[in-house]
Amino acid sequence: MVSIRLGHIKTHTPATRVLLVGGLLILLLAAIRLEAGYLANRRYFKTINNGITALHQQRLADAEHAWLQALIQNPLRPEAYQLLSHLYLQTGHPEQAIPLLSHLYALAPTTPHVLCYLAEAYALTGQEAKLLETARKAVKVEPDCPRAHALLGIAYGNQQDHKEAISELSRAAALAPNDVKIATSLAQAQLDDADLDGAANTIRGVITRNPNYPTAYYVLGWDYARRDPTPSNLQTAIQAFEKLQQLDPSRTDAREELGRLYLLSGNNQKAIAVLHKAWLQGDRSAECAYNLATAYRNIGDRLKASAMLQQYQRISSLTARYNTLLKRAVARPNDIATAIALAQAEVEIGNHEGAVKIMNSVLQTAPTNPIALKAAVEIYKGAGALATAHFYQERLHALTSGDSHK
């Protein structure tokens, strides 16, 4: 606190006294303001620390609540914006991080890595144009930031600009040589550019540093799966995908490829085991059915081979019809019959969410079309939206009842 002895004022002239008293009032007001600011900041940082403690104790909702309170207590400081946005990024809610990071950038554009995290949020929400624009800004603002270069490389890769992707990811890897995620992204970019040897060298370096990193084996498996199917290449690819399954059984996207590789290597029983599991878990592609049919035929099981061949033909026919409908829907966006047929095809291939989106659009355009209402009832039932299905069933009933009285 500022301390002034009032007795000293008496030795000055009236004019001087006025000035000094005025100065005293200003100093007192400033002191009050400073103390109030100190108390406010003390409350603010106490709230921030409460959130950090909650985070360390895995009480994520409490951490979020504390930092939202801090944001209200002092909306001009950056800490709450940073902590909240990082929490949302780490817990799978990047869409909630975007307004916080955007506001922080407008409020304090020199905040370290604000553009990097904003670019990451755009990447996680599939906003490709904003990802590219923001990552470019991030690289200019922080040219020595490996995250900025990595995100820019990923943005270029998404645009199939493999040369620029490799260039930026190489720069990121040089700035952060121990970051296995950046190195793995570089290997993936090299693989996309058909640089199989370069990708293999990069990803083997990742495995040397972290032999239990599942994604590294995913990239290595695909690298050797794309090479000539020599016994050596097949074995390397198979071992990589087997290791992936051991480390992360939830990664089912490479299971069908592993079955194909078993088939190529002559191990029909393993191929059947892997492909049949993939089929039962919903991976019902034409390739999976064809490879299963081939494996069954190779071991002399003609009945199962014939059944899977029929599945292959059915899926191939459905895929061809779906692609035709999709092209027609693009060419005729207002054709309700085509849109309904496309939604029904989505159901047949197991994409109920896609079917619902199409029907939502159709029903906005034609809310009283009886054909659309009938299709909607079946599609919403199939998607498990029973209340919505009942709603459209009632609407259809009211519509047809009204027609019958005419």
Side-chain angles (χ1 to χ4, degrees):
M1 290 286 294
V2 177
S3 177
I4 297 178
R5 287 183 293 174
L6 296 178
H8 288 178
I9 296 176
K10 297 178 182 178
T11 61
H12 297 283
T13 63
T16 305
R17 191 178 299 125
V18 169
L19 289 174
L20 286 172
V21 170
L24 172 64
L25 290 174
I26 292 172
L27 287 172
L28 285 172
L29 287 172
I32 291 169
R33 258 193 231 103
L34 284 171
E35 182 152 328
Y38 169 75
L39 291 172
N41 278 337
R42 189 168 65 180
R43 287 194 299 271
Y44 171 83
F45 282 112
K46 182 180 179 181
T47 307
I48 288 288
N49 288 331
N50 288 341
I52 293 171
T53 300
L55 180 67
H56 288 164
Q57 296 173 354
Q58 298 298 307
R59 295 185 287 112
L60 302 186
D62 291 340
E64 179 190 27
H65 179 71
W67 294 332
L68 286 171
Q69 279 188 317
L71 200 61
I72 295 170
Q73 289 170 352
N74 194 335
L76 298 181
R77 289 200 65 90
E79 294 85 4
Y81 293 98
Q82 290 173 299
L83 290 165
L84 269 173
S85 60
H86 293 178
L87 176 66
Y88 291 140
L89 286 172
Q90 293 298 317
T91 55
H93 299 284
E95 70 285 349
Q96 293 180 255
I98 289 172
L100 291 166
L101 291 164
S102 298
H103 189 78
L104 177 58
Y105 179 62
L107 180 71
T110 58
T111 302
H113 306 300
V114 60
L115 286 172
C116 303
Y117 287 110
L118 181 57
E120 182 178 346
Y122 285 136
L124 293 171
T125 53
Q127 300 184 58
E128 300 293 344
K130 289 184 177 180
L131 162 61
L132 181 60
E133 177 188 1
T134 308
R136 281 173 172 164
K137 287 182 182 177
V139 165
K140 288 182 180 178
V141 172
E142 296 181 287
D144 293 328
C145 174
R147 181 188 292 269
H149 287 282
L151 286 163
L152 183 55
I154 290 169
Y156 281 129
N158 291 344
Q159 292 192 337
Q160 306 301 310
D161 189 341
H162 303 309
K163 181 179 178 181
E164 290 297 334
I166 292 170
S167 174
E168 291 297 331
L169 286 163
S170 296
R171 175 64 176 158
L175 289 167
N178 295 319
D179 191 316
V180 295
K181 291 184 178 180
I182 289 177
T184 302
S185 295
L186 172 58
Q188 182 65 64
Q190 292 169 317
L191 187 59
D192 292 340
D193 196 39
D195 181 6
L196 301 182
D197 290 337
N201 289 336
T202 301
I203 208 63
R204 287 189 188 282
V206 171
I207 292 171
T208 299
R209 292 194 295 274
N210 189 343
N212 292 316
Y213 185 47
T215 309
Y217 294 97
Y218 179 86
V219 175
L220 183 64
W222 280 111
D223 184 294
Y224 278 85
R226 293 184 183 182
R227 298 174 184 241
D228 292 335
T230 63
S232 176
N233 288 341
L234 287 173
Q235 186 63 18
T236 301
I238 287 171
Q239 288 175 347
F241 284 134
E242 287 177 339
K243 184 69 173 179
L244 172 64
Q245 294 298 309
Q246 292 172 12
L247 293 172
D248 188 0
S250 67
R251 292 289 297 268
T252 59
D253 48 347
R255 188 174 293 160
E256 184 184 324
E257 182 64 12
L258 178 57
R260 186 186 74 86
L261 294 168
Y262 281 139
L263 186 61
L264 286 175
S265 66
N267 196 333
N268 293 293
Q269 293 293 353
K270 279 193 173 182
I272 290 169
V274 170
L275 292 169
H276 183 64
K277 185 175 182 179
W279 181 267
L280 291 177
Q281 291 182 341
D283 186 8
R284 302 198 170 190
S285 67
E287 293 78 11
C288 187
Y290 183 83
N291 288 330
L292 263 174
T294 302
Y296 282 129
R297 186 173 61 249
N298 288 346
I299 65 171
D301 192 335
R302 294 183 179 180
L303 186 62
K304 289 183 179 178
S306 177
M308 292 312 303
L309 187 59
Q310 288 177 10
Q311 290 285 2
Y312 164 74
Q313 292 168 343
R314 180 187 66 81
I315 296 168
S316 297
S317 176
L318 174 60
T319 302
R321 181 163 63 87
Y322 174 83
N323 289 335
T324 299
L325 286 168
L326 188 60
K327 291 178 182 178
R328 191 180 299 167
V330 172
R332 307 176 193 172
N334 298 320
D335 187 339
I336 293 175
T338 297
I340 293 172
L342 181 60
Q344 291 168 335
E346 292 278 12
V347 171
E348 289 186 63
I349 64 176
N351 185 12
H352 292 280
E353 184 180 349
V356 166
K357 287 181 179 179
I358 294 171
M359 286 311 304
N360 285 342
S361 178
V362 169
L363 292 167
Q364 287 177 357
T365 304
T368 59
N369 185 305
I371 298 174
L373 290 171
K374 185 177 180 180
V377 171
E378 297 304 316
I379 286 170
Y380 285 112
K381 279 183 181 178
L386 299 182
T388 307
H390 179 72
F391 171 80
Y392 286 114
Q393 180 69 64
E394 291 295 312
R395 179 179 286 185
L396 177 63
H397 178 71
L399 182 65
T400 53
S401 296
D403 289 342
S404 64
H405 291 305
K406 288 182 181 180

